[in-house]
Structures are given as C-alpha cells and as structure tokens.
Amino acid sequence: LGSNLDGTRVRLNDPTGRYGRVTSPDIRFTVDPDNPTVIAASGYPMCIPRTDPAVSDDPLCPQAQRPVVSPGPPVVYQTLFTMNDPTDPRVANLPPSAFTQAPMEIGDWVTFGGLLVTDAATPTTGPFPANGTAGTYVAAHTIVSNVGIYTAPGTNPAYIMTEVTLIGTGGLTVLGAGEAVIRTRFEGMTTDTGRNVHLYGIDLDPVTGDGTDRDWGQIGVDPGPPNGAVQGRWRFRPPCPTGNQVVTQKACVMNAAGVFLPVTRDMRAVVEGGWTPPAPGTSSPTAANGLIFGQFRAPIFEYIFPENVPGTPIPPNNFNTIPFLAQGGVTSSAGTIARQLNPWPDSTTPTPGCVAPTVSAGGPYQVAAGLSVQLNGSATGNTPITFAWTVSSGTLSDPSIANPVFNSVGATSPVTATLSATNACGSATASTTITVNAAPAPTLAAIPNVSVLSGANASFGISATDPNNEAVTFTVTQSGTPALVNLTVTQNTPNSATVSFTAPTLPAGQTTNSVITLTVIATNVGGSSSAPAHPTVTVRPTPDQISGVTAQYRTSKQRLDLTATSSVVSPNVILTLQPYVTAQGTTFDPTQLGSVFTNTGAGAYTLTLVGAPQPAAPPATPIVIKSNIGGVSPPTGITVRP
C-alpha cells in the first residue's frame, strides 16, 4: 500500500468490529460478519489489531497468533504455518490457536476491495479531491493477506472461502446447444486439507425468505506438494465423470440429478464434518470473534445466459427461470423481503409472487398382487416442494418423494393413493387408484416319494415356478399315523425349500411299513396357491439281527437241518433261506422244497429240507438267511455228517 502519505489508504468497513476497530462510512458495503472476508490466502480469518501491540496486545487479535521467524529489527513473521491441533492436549490451549483470528503484520502483502470514500463528514458524497489520494480512502469489505495459515486436518474449527462462483442458467442440460456450460465452476481455498468440500445452492422461500440448502456435489482438496500444487485449493468444475463415486482433488461427484437448476442467488461451501445446519431456534457454532466456521455462504458472482449461434436470432436472457428474480425471497439487512424484479426485463412477465403447487398423482395404475409398481407423481410451483404420499393399503418405498415404488403385498384392491405437495405458498393434493390384480398361481415341481427307516432323519427338496417370478413360500402338512417328528420347512431360495423330519419309531415287533401322506402347497407373495402335491413317506421297521445260525447236512438222508434266531420276537417275523451254492457248483433255490423257517417261539426258528442237494463244503459259506423286516444273517458254512 506504500506510505500513509502517498499510498492507498485502506480502512475496514466493519460496523460491528468483527475484524478490527468499529468503523463504517457506508453500511451497504461492509465486511461479512458471519463469513470471513478479511482472510489469509488460505481462507483463515485475519484481523487488524485494535491497539498498538507494543503498548497493549489486542486479545481478539493477539500477536501470538503470528509466530516470529526473526525478532529483527525488523521483525519477520511466519507466512506459512499450521495452527495447533485442538485435539492434542499438549498444545490445545496454546497459540497459535484455530479459535482466534491471526493479525496482519507489517510486511504482509495484501489485496483489497471496497468503496472509495472521503474523510468528509459525508464520506460517500462528492466532490472527491482532484488529486485522487489526499482525503480519500478505500472502505474495504474484503482484504486478503498473502499468508498461508492452515488448521490441523480433520479438526474443528476449520475455515473455507470461495474465489470463483460462476454458473450457467441452463445448468448442465444444454451441452452443445449454445451455452458454455463447461465454464460452470466453483473454486476457493480451505484451511483443512484432510476433508472434502461439499457445495450447496440455497433456495429461498419467496414468502418468508428462509433458505434451504440444495446438494450440488463434492470435491476434494489439493494437499499441496509433493502430491499436489496449491495446498488447500479446491476446484469444482462440473460435469463430473459419469458414474464416478470417488471424490479426489480433481474428480468431483455431482448431486443425484446432475444439474444445478434452478440457479440460486447464494451458494454455500462446507468443509464436510466442519458444519451442519443448526436445529430450529439455535445458531451455528462460532469461533474467531463470532465467525461461523466450517462453511462459507456468498452470492454467486457470475451467471452465463444462453448464447446464440452466429446468424440466428438472439435468445432472450432467461430471467424467468431464476426464482429469486422472478418470485423474490432475498432478505435485506433490515428484514425486508424482496419480491419480483420490477420492472421485469422481458416482454413477458412471469406470474408474480408465490405460486402454490399444482400436483398430479399420475395413474391410474395396475399391478399383479405381490408385485410392485412405480408411481409417477409430479408438481409445479415455487420450489422447494415437499411431497407426501399415502395409500389405503400396501406400502411405499419412500412416501416423501414424488416417484416412490408401491408394493402390493397385503394390499386390498382398489388402493387409493393420494399425493400432497407443499411449498411456502400452500398445499395441493391429488388422488389416483391402483388396481391390484389377482396373481397367477405357481406350479409345484414333481416331488418324489420318500422311504426311510424307523427313527431315522431324512429330508427332500421342493421347488415351484411362478408366472410372474414372484417369491413363493411352502406349507407342508401330514396325515397318517404314526406322525413324522420335527417336520420343518426351510426356505432356500425365493422358489425352493428343504423339508426335513425325523421318522417315527415304530412299535417293537411291527413288521409292516407305515405310510404317511404329505400335502405340499406353494403360495406366492400375491396370495395365490398352487394345486397341492401328495408325496408319501414310507417308514420301514428297523431290520432285525439274525444270529445263532447252524447248518448241518446228512448225506445218508439228503437232509439239510437249519436253526436261527431273530432279535425281534414276533409271530410276524418271517425268516427265509436264500438260494445257495451246492457241492456240485450249481445254485439251488430252496423255494421248491419250502424255504420258510418255522417260528418255534422266543425268536427261535428251524427249517428241515429233505432231498435238498448238499451245500458247498467248507471253507465255503453258502448259507444266508433273510428276514421279512430286513435282517440278513452273515454267510454261514455247513457241517457234513453221514
């Protein structure tokens, strides 16, 4: 700035004393008392001491916030450093602290912006001095000191600022159609290189002037050398790569809609995790003499309007698509809410004031029972608009959006669906119907019959196909005695399951099978059931043990004498001699002579065959006896006697 005699004189236009002494020749162009506009180049809030530091240190702008490199004279101060980590107990309460502004020092290089005023009693009225400098000064609303001050990554408070705010009034929807949309960008600096920056447009309620943040996207922060260029710089330059979900210093992520329409008067840059909207009736946390940290709200500086293709008619500027001009909502410092711009700068004036929603619920809709259908609600009117769906039965994926998915499970047809749309100007509702049609029944796949031993565990699979690919569930019931134990159906996939059970233990001495009939039905989520299937479970008695087998052959009488014992004592147990190999090497079937043993009681059995050929002699073991309930004797040899 040079000498105070011949250089440019700069004084803060600070009516509340946020960054220095209280002074303001014109309250229309002041410093921002909430977002830091007297800052380091990194965005850290700076100040001008209110007292001579050599006499009395300013506690709101202490010298300890600027570490000394050399005591001089002249004193040399650090111009690039990081504030102490507020989470580190060793230095949390020691300067330099992120909770306090840092002072500008002699030797700092600054840039400034403001209003030229005079030293006269009426500083904003002329005539101004002819020499241009004597008796005039700049009442600054913005001062940037060429100092790089940063905060510990990931800690609060952290600070952020915007440098470039430029947006196309056609958003990103007219690429290649005459608007330089690739110039839409937002750039700035932050003191925190450890967290991403989240950007929001601020929609204004035209009646109340209240603002609502609308998500615009995210961008990473340059970490500085050796992995970056300028520490703390962020540059959000849409469009972001399609499908990109990774935020880096060069790769951004846009909001879900991928557009920034309608354009807003103000935007907000937020250090993620450094600021959240305050709850109703509360205020945002502050630091550095009352500044809101972690966010920076400012008007957008430049708007790009549609450009004509050379040789074609000049398109009008689309002011009617800019809500804060067409409907109003900007609030002055005195609390006055601006309405529609007047006179309107176009041949057609948009509907002034607040426009309540006009809503459509779409439809009518049809859906098969158990399936889903997307609802196509919409509304026009002043934004933002909130939606609320209700349905008489069934469920919705999200009743607070315009196009939720209706699930017909449990619904009773016809379903009445009502959509309410609300904005600051009023509410509107519209209703439609959803017809829930009966779902076609599923078809069971063939189920084989099952045979299992008494008391054993068993299982088998069942499956079904559905015409609408709906999920199905299975029910299995049984009839017959004795009953299966622990009959369980376990769903495996949306259309298959496993049936498991334990066979009943048959009474001792039972020699016949027990047959249990099952009924299997598949039911889809729409409530339609298949034709029943009736597989059977045959429960077989536990095989007996055949022991005590003796075999004697009398050659003189051509007689074969046999004895055996069954572990099951029952008159219904039948033992039968199986075909055997003879001494001549042939196979003899004893059925022709009578192969069934005589039950002599207590599990003992005998059989005498006269005229039977001699079985093969030892070491051969030709004799095998079987029971009608599954027992089989070990092969047995014979004793040969005259």
Side-chain angles (χ1 to χ4, degrees), residues 210-229:
D210 295 335
T212 303
D213 287 6
R214 174 158 43 99
D215 189 353
W216 274 354
Q218 305 163 61
I219 187 63
V221 178
D222 193 320
N227 298 318

Side-chain angles (χ1 to χ4, degrees), residues 210-531:
D210 295 335
T212 303
D213 287 6
R214 174 158 43 99
D215 189 353
W216 274 354
Q218 305 163 61
I219 187 63
V221 178
D222 193 320
N227 298 318
V230 179
Q231 182 180 355
R233 178 173 296 283
W234 55 268
R235 287 175 170 167
F236 183 77
R237 296 180 173 181
C240 303
T242 301
N244 177 48
Q245 296 298 319
V246 179
V247 181
T248 69
Q249 68 181 81
K250 295 183 179 180
C252 58
V253 169
M254 291 192 298
N255 58 354
V259 296
F260 303 90
L261 299 180
V263 297
T264 62
R265 177 183 182 272
D266 290 5
M267 60 86 65
R268 192 192 308 273
V270 176
V271 177
E272 289 196 323
W275 177 85
T276 54
T282 65
S283 301
S284 296
T286 62
N289 193 27
L291 293 171
I292 300 173
F293 59 82
Q295 66 92 51
F296 192 92
R297 173 176 176 168
I300 295 174
F301 294 154
E302 186 174 354
Y303 297 87
I304 305 176
F305 293 93
E307 301 169 350
N308 74 300
V309 176
T312 64
I314 303 296
N317 288 342
N318 53 326
F319 295 120
N320 60 323
T321 66
I322 302 178
F324 68 88
L325 297 179
Q327 306 301 335
V330 177
T331 306
S332 72
S333 60
T336 300
I337 299 177
R339 302 306 180 190
Q340 185 184 85
L341 190 62
N342 185 18
W344 184 253
D346 198 351
S347 59
T348 302
T349 303
T351 303
C354 200
V355 179
T358 300
V359 64
S360 169
Y365 306 92
Q366 293 198 25
V367 62
L371 295 184
S372 300
V373 63
Q374 187 171 44
L375 307 184
N376 298 313
S378 62
T380 59
N382 285 111
T383 58
I385 298 174
T386 59
F387 295 94
W389 280 94
T390 59
V391 289
S392 58
S393 59
T395 57
L396 296 168
S397 60
D398 185 350
S400 64
I401 62 175
N403 307 117
V405 174
F406 171 77
N407 190 315
S408 67
V409 174
T412 301
S413 185
V415 176
T416 299
T418 301
L419 173 62
S420 296
T422 304
N423 65 8
C425 315
S427 298
T429 60
S431 295
T432 188
T433 58
I434 306 172
T435 301
V436 182
N437 300 313
T443 302
L444 279 168
I447 305 173
N449 296 325
V450 179
S451 177
V452 60
L453 285 173
S454 168
N457 296 322
S459 64
F460 60 91
I462 52 178
S463 63
T465 57
D466 188 86
N468 286 332
N469 293 320
E470 293 187 21
V472 299
T473 56
F474 300 89
T475 57
V476 180
T477 57
Q478 59 178 315
S479 60
T481 57
L484 301 177
V485 181
N486 298 325
L487 181 62
T488 304
V489 180
T490 302
Q491 197 82 19
N492 298 325
T493 68
N495 63 352
S496 68
T498 298
V499 180
S500 57
F501 58 88
T502 300
T505 301
L506 299 181
Q510 178 172 330
T511 58
T512 59
N513 296 335
S514 291
V515 179
I516 300 167
T517 300
L518 301 180
T519 299
V520 181
I521 297 175
T523 303
N524 60 26
V525 293
S528 295
S529 298
S530 67

Side-chain angles (χ1 to χ4, degrees), residues 168-206:
T169 57
L172 291 176
T173 61
V174 290
L175 273 170
E179 182 184 358
V181 293
I182 59 173
R183 292 175 57 199
T184 296
R185 63 184 185 273
F186 305 99
E187 300 178 3
M189 295 288 292
T190 175
T191 64
D192 189 337
T193 59
R195 289 182 280 186
N196 295 330
V197 172
H198 211 130
L199 302 174
Y200 301 88
I202 303 177
D203 293 306
L204 298 178
D205 185 315

Side-chain angles (χ1 to χ4, degrees), residues 10 18 36 39 43 63 152-153 207 264 321-322 331 381-382 426 453 567 592:
V10 179
R18 187 73 80 203
I39 53 176
Q63 293 297 296
V207 175
T264 62
T321 66
I322 302 178
T331 306
N382 285 111
L453 285 173
S567 60
Q592 55 187 306

Side-chain angles (χ1 to χ4, degrees), residues 582-596:
T582 68
Q584 288 74 33
T586 60
T587 298
F588 172 69
D589 184 353
T591 303
Q592 55 187 306
L593 296 178
S595 60
V596 177

